[in-house]
Structures are given as C-alpha cells and as structure tokens.
Amino acid sequence: MKQYPFEYDHSRPFLQQVGEWVADVFYDILPEAGFEVRDEQIYMAYQLERAFAEKQTIFAEAGVGTGKTLVYLLYAICYARYTRKPAIIACADESLIEQLAKPEGDLAKLARHLSLTIDARMAKSADRYLCLAKMDQVKTGDEDYDMYSAVRAELPDFVHQYKAMQSFYPYGDRKQYPHLDDHQWNKISWDTFQDCFSCDQRHRCGQTLTREHYRKSTDLIICSHDFYMEHVWTYEGRKREGQLPLLPDHCAVVFDEGHLLESAAQKALTYSLKHSGFEELVCRLLKGEIRESLAVLIDEAIDRSESLFYTLSAHCEDIPGSERKRIILGETLQEEVRLFRLVIEAIEEELVFESDLYTLNEYQLRIVEEQLETIQKALSLFQSSDALISWATEAEDGLTLVIMPRAVKEVLRERVFALNMPIVFSSATLSVGGSFDYITSSLGTDRYLSFSTQSPYDYENQMKVVAPQWTQRASGEEKMKAAAGLLAETGGRALVLFNGREEMLQFKELLPSYPELANMRFWFEGDAEISHLIGYFQRDETSVLCALTLWEGLDIPGPSLSNVIVWSLPFPPQDPVFMAKREAAAAPYEEVDLPYMLLRLQQGMGRLIRSSADRGIVAILSEEIHHDAKLREAIEKLLPQGVQLQDVEPGQVSSTSGHF
C-alpha cells in the first residue's frame, strides 16, 4: 500500500502537496462519482492547510452541507501518515462516532471513491462496555435476571477460561446489546466506582482488549470528547501508576461539534465520591498484615466517611426538573470534611511506614495511595467552594458527592492548546453574532485561526419555520394537539427534540390519547441503544424519533426526516453547573442562557435540511417567542437567509407545509 494517496515530491512542502491533492479530490474525483462541487468545501480546505502547516488551533465554522467532515478527514489521514502517528477525531458523543464510522458513513465513502485503505479504529468510553464484575453482582431476584443470564451465556468462551488466551475478538460494546434500555444497561456496564486495577477479570475485559486494538491504528482513532478529555486528565496519573495513557501519542486532534468541548472537559475533570466506594478502597488494606495503628485509623476513616455522607444528606435539597441535588454548604458540613481529611492524611502517613515493611502488595498499595490522593484533591476543592461546582445524586447504594471545577480553561490551555499540534474545532455553530469570543474565552485560548462559511442550500425554498400561537399558555395538552397536527401533515417522518426527560416522558404518556397517531411508530431515546434507534428511524420512513441529545450531529438526508419539532426552547437547565455560571456572570441571561439556547436551537434546526433535495418544516413550540420581542429577534437572526419565522394559529398547524 502506498504511504500517500498522491506522488510525494520530497523537494516541495508536504502540506502544499496535500492541498493540491485535496483540490483534485473535490474538483475532479468526487464530482465524477456524483458529488457536488462546493466552493465552501474548497475554501475550508485551504484554511485547514494553513492550520496543519503552522500547527495552529483553528475554529472552522462551516454550515450544514459544506462537507466539512470530508475535508478534515483527508488532512488528518495524510498528516498521520506523514508524522507516522495517528490523528484523533473526537466527536461530541458516541452516536456521532457511529455515524462517522458506519458502513455508509463518511469514512466508507472516502475509502470507496478514492480507493483508499483507511485504518480507522474506535476508542469508546469505558461506560460503553459491559463490566464482568457488575454482571457477577446481579442477584437472582432481579426482575431482569433471565435477560442478564442470556447476555452472560453469549459471552466469548475465552472470558470463562482461566488460561492463556490463544485468540480473542472484541466484545462487550453497548452497541451489541440494543435490546437493553438505558436502565438495564446501567446495571451491568462500567461506572466510575469500578476498581479495574484490582479486578481479577481485567485481562479478559472487553474494554481492556479493545484498548489494545485501537492503540495500533496507523491513521485515525475515533473517540468522544469525554474520552479524549479523560485521556488528558488522567495522563500523568496513569504514567505514575505504570500504566499506558488511554490514547497513544498522536499528531493532531479534530473536535467535531467543537462547541460542546467545554462541557465534556468539565465532565472529565469531575470527581465522584461515595461512602461504599471509600469503604471498599480502605478495607483492601486490611487483607494484608498491617500494624494495629493503621487498622484503627481505617476503622475511624470508615466511621468518618459514614458521618460525612449522613451530614451531606441533611444538607441537600431537590432541584425541580433535575436529578441533581443542591448542596447547602455550612459550618457543620465543612467541619465533617475537615475531620475526614485529617484521618485520610493520617492513613497516608502510616502507609509510608507500611511500604518500608513490604507487608502489603506493592501494586495494590500504590493504587490505594493514588486514590486517597485523588480523594484529598477533591475534598480540598470542596473546601474552596469558590473554585468548584458541586452537587449530590441519590442511587440505590447511597448518596454520591460530585465535585467539578468551575473553569477548565487552565487545564485546556496547558494540556491541549500547548501541545504544538494542529487542533481543529469543527461545527456549524461556533460563533455568536459573528464573534468567536464566547467559545474561545470559555476554552482558554487566545491564539487561533478562524473562519466561517455559509451552507450551500436554498433554504428559502427548502425550509419553513413556524411558531404555533397558543390560547392556553402552551400547556402540555395544547402542545400535543399542535404536534399531532404537524405529524399528520408530514405522515410522521419527524424528529421531536425535547429539552428535558420530563417533557419526553409526558409526551410518551399522552400519546395513547391521540388516536390519529396510533398508526405511527415512535422511537424514544433510552429505550434501546442510540445508534440502533437512529437506524430504525432512518429505515422506517414514516416513524418518529423522540430524543434529548440529538440536537447535534444527526445526519439523515431524505424524506425520513421532513419535520423537526422543537418541544421547548433549549435554555440551559436549572442545575448546579449552570447556576454557578449564572452566579459568575454580570448579566446571566445575556452571557449564559441566551447564547447557550441560540447555539443549541440552531443545531437542532440544522437536523432538517441535509441535502439539496430535502424539504421540510421546523416547528418551535414556544410561548415566550410570542411575548419577548428581543428573544424573537435573536431567533430570527439565526434563520438562514430568506427564511421567515411564521406565526400560525392553532387550527392552521396542520396546514403548514405549503409548497412542500
């Protein structure tokens, strides 16, 4: 196989030659295969050539239909082969990874039409894999025990054999179990409290085996934003523990839907603590021969942990519409944290003496020390409340304390932007009002390239945007009637986007009351693995997909998606993360709520027109849009040129399609 898809002249700059080849691809090779020539695509290619040549960060805002994915893939593949290191393609979530890598996706198109052999491998987050330890913990009385037994029976033979493996194949990916809903999957999937270091099944774990596979990629490694940021955050710690980093050394990073990186970075830098997890950690020390003084401290630490979480429970209050609980900080809670930290510090000092006695397993001791240090860091942040966002969640095994730094820009600046490599942020929505300040300030970079290109589609003749008017303040029942009319107009073929799980559940509960929708098939996010739901929706043309997270990235051209119903304007939730952002802003609505909503709404509307042949309706079911002139003006500025926001009376909702 040739190293490059063109004849490389060593006397000329490499990236200049890549640019010439890319121009040939978009002007000649792909048009001969039936692709359209898009000037916006060529313009983006020239901008990326500069970013790769100068190893700079670039914010590439390219409208829907510009073919931005093909552009960055071509540069990433060539650059990976030139540097002999893989390039990382980090997508906003796992469903986007699947869309990129699916048999009819962009990678497959390039390979087929350019006669390229592309080595692209997926690196999925740990929670996308089956956990053998959690499988073993499922009790016989569990309502889904028989189903889990069937999953266990289908595991590869080598999982059950305790001898050297002669061969293996990847297994345990969430995608392999589409029949499990999210609740069922969470019972047997990896979570942050699983101790992989001491697990006696780790060398037969699907997650571990897959990691060995993707490390050997020569072209591309495709992962999520979350996974990339976890790699960044754990890089030094894993090296100290004698482990390989999550991702191998790489030459470039592309953040697809890059406007979502900040939230992924915050998630990766989050600490989660719970009493049962701490008790299990320190009790591991009791398995060795330890001095009595350390054993006494371990008992005291368990008591202190129990007391801390009991006090924490008394200092929490529910947040309407959120699974997260607000923590009311006070002297009593802070004192419990202080006492807990003191006993952990005493244990850390005792472990120094224990290590000299060699009575504890050296590897196990190092893991315990590392995790105790992490707990100390988390609790130190908790005591400095101005530097963090914290909340609690309730589960069957008790309360979990979650601690997240307010700003991640320092980490991104030091561990991402300072790496001296090309970094591409790609999305249709990176700027607000023509400025990139909102995203660059939140990410912590002031040295970057940027450009914007518009979509090539004729939106004026392809899209209609309507806002139903209300007589009952947009009640749930009134919205259902409007949605029923819209769905009847397009015969299903709709994506319904919700801004919260409660909205979607209410919609699901009210569906049986509308006989006119009885013959339509509805798919609900969470009822099965997401990429399978998307596949069902695309193949079943008249079905309806109801989703919480598909505001970005969903790419379904053709009649299967002819109607996007925005159930409510996607303002950020009332949870601790956005509460903290609002508290830090001089004008919370203008600086936090409105920009977030506008970017998300623009992305949601962008799901409709995915090709020059598409036609359809976007319906925004909002009451505020009719009463807040400034809000309406801001939304109207988002609309493509020539598209008007049209008010429709409740009785006219089913007659919105007009010339469509």
Side-chain angles (χ1 to χ4, degrees), residues 438-452:
Y438 177 74
I439 187 169
T440 56
S441 62
S442 65
L443 295 177
T445 182
D446 51 12
R447 181 176 177 270
Y448 60 90
L449 305 173
S450 66
F451 71 90
S452 295

Side-chain angles (χ1 to χ4, degrees), residues 208-258:
T208 303
L209 297 174
T210 304
R211 193 169 292 167
E212 293 302 315
H213 173 70
Y214 71 67
R215 285 182 184 282
K216 298 174 183 176
S217 176
T218 54
D219 289 335
L220 305 175
I221 297 176
I222 307 168
C223 66
S224 66
H225 291 181
D226 291 352
F227 191 72
Y228 187 80
M229 290 312 304
E230 186 182 352
H231 158 75
V232 169
W233 184 235
T234 61
Y235 183 84
E236 295 297 335
R238 292 181 69 87
K239 286 179 64 178
R240 285 197 302 270
E241 294 168 8
Q243 300 183 79
L244 290 172
L246 292 178
L247 291 168
D249 194 17
H250 45 277
C251 65
V253 185
V254 177
F255 293 110
D256 200 347
E257 303 296 355

Side-chain angles (χ1 to χ4, degrees), residues 20-21 116 141 149 197 203 273 323 364 403 543 591 613 615 645:
E20 293 169 356
W21 173 69
L116 275 177
S149 297
F197 303 121
H203 297 299
L273 310 175
E323 297 176 353
Q364 293 285 351
I403 300 168
S543 65
E591 296 176 25
R615 300 286 187 276
L645 179 60

Side-chain angles (χ1 to χ4, degrees), residues 393-530:
T393 59
E394 190 74 59
E396 294 177 2
D397 58 350
L399 205 66
T400 296
L401 171 63
V402 184
I403 300 168
M404 172 189 286
R406 281 181 182 268
V408 297
K409 59 178 67 178
E410 291 80 8
V411 174
L412 289 169
R413 185 182 295 121
E414 294 173 8
R415 304 190 189 183
V416 178
F417 295 118
L419 292 178
N420 191 34
M421 67 169 65
I423 299 174
V424 179
F425 287 82
S426 174
S427 176
T429 54
L430 290 172
S431 65
V432 177
S435 171
F436 290 88
D437 291 347
Y438 177 74
I439 187 169
T440 56
S441 62
S442 65
L443 295 177
T445 182
D446 51 12
R447 181 176 177 270
Y448 60 90
L449 305 173
S450 66
F451 71 90
S452 295
T453 63
Q454 298 300 312
S455 172
Y457 297 141
D458 181 11
Y459 284 101
E460 184 176 2
N461 292 306
Q462 291 182 254
M463 171 192 278
K464 179 173 284 191
V465 181
V466 300
Q469 295 182 313
W470 314 103
T471 58
Q472 301 172 23
R473 301 182 61 83
S475 65
E477 185 176 343
E478 197 172 19
K479 283 189 175 184
M480 281 298 301
K481 289 179 180 178
L486 288 158
L487 292 172
E489 181 65 26
T490 53
R493 299 179 175 86
L495 170 68
V496 187
L497 291 170
F498 297 94
N499 196 34
R501 188 167 297 278
E502 289 184 2
E503 288 182 351
M504 187 170 74
L505 291 177
Q506 183 188 36
F507 178 88
K508 192 174 186 180
E509 290 171 2
L510 291 174
L511 265 182
S513 302
Y514 291 83
E516 62 267 41
L517 303 179
N519 293 326
M520 292 183 190
R521 209 173 342 270
F522 287 82
W523 311 104
F524 288 89
E525 183 175 348
D527 285 354
E529 194 273 330
I530 189 66

Side-chain angles (χ1 to χ4, degrees), residues 573-616:
Q574 294 295 324
D575 73 3
V577 175
F578 284 97
M579 287 177 179
K581 288 190 173 188
R582 293 182 187 105
E583 289 172 4
Y589 179 77
E590 291 78 9
E591 296 176 25
V592 179
D593 290 0
L594 188 60
Y596 175 94
M597 185 279 290
L598 293 174
L599 284 176
R600 198 159 174 80
L601 178 62
Q602 189 174 6
Q603 282 282 349
M605 292 191 296
R607 300 314 97 212
L608 182 66
I609 306 300
R610 309 301 298 181
S611 76
S612 57
D614 287 350
R615 300 286 187 276

Side-chain angles (χ1 to χ4, degrees), residues 27 74 87 101 134 138 162 245 310 334 336 412 432 449 463 548 562 631 645:
Y27 276 130
L74 292 178
K134 285 179 73 174
V138 175
Y162 289 88
Y310 177 81
Q334 291 284 24
E336 287 289 344
L412 289 169
V432 177
L449 305 173
M463 171 192 278
L548 298 167
S562 301
L631 173 65
L645 179 60

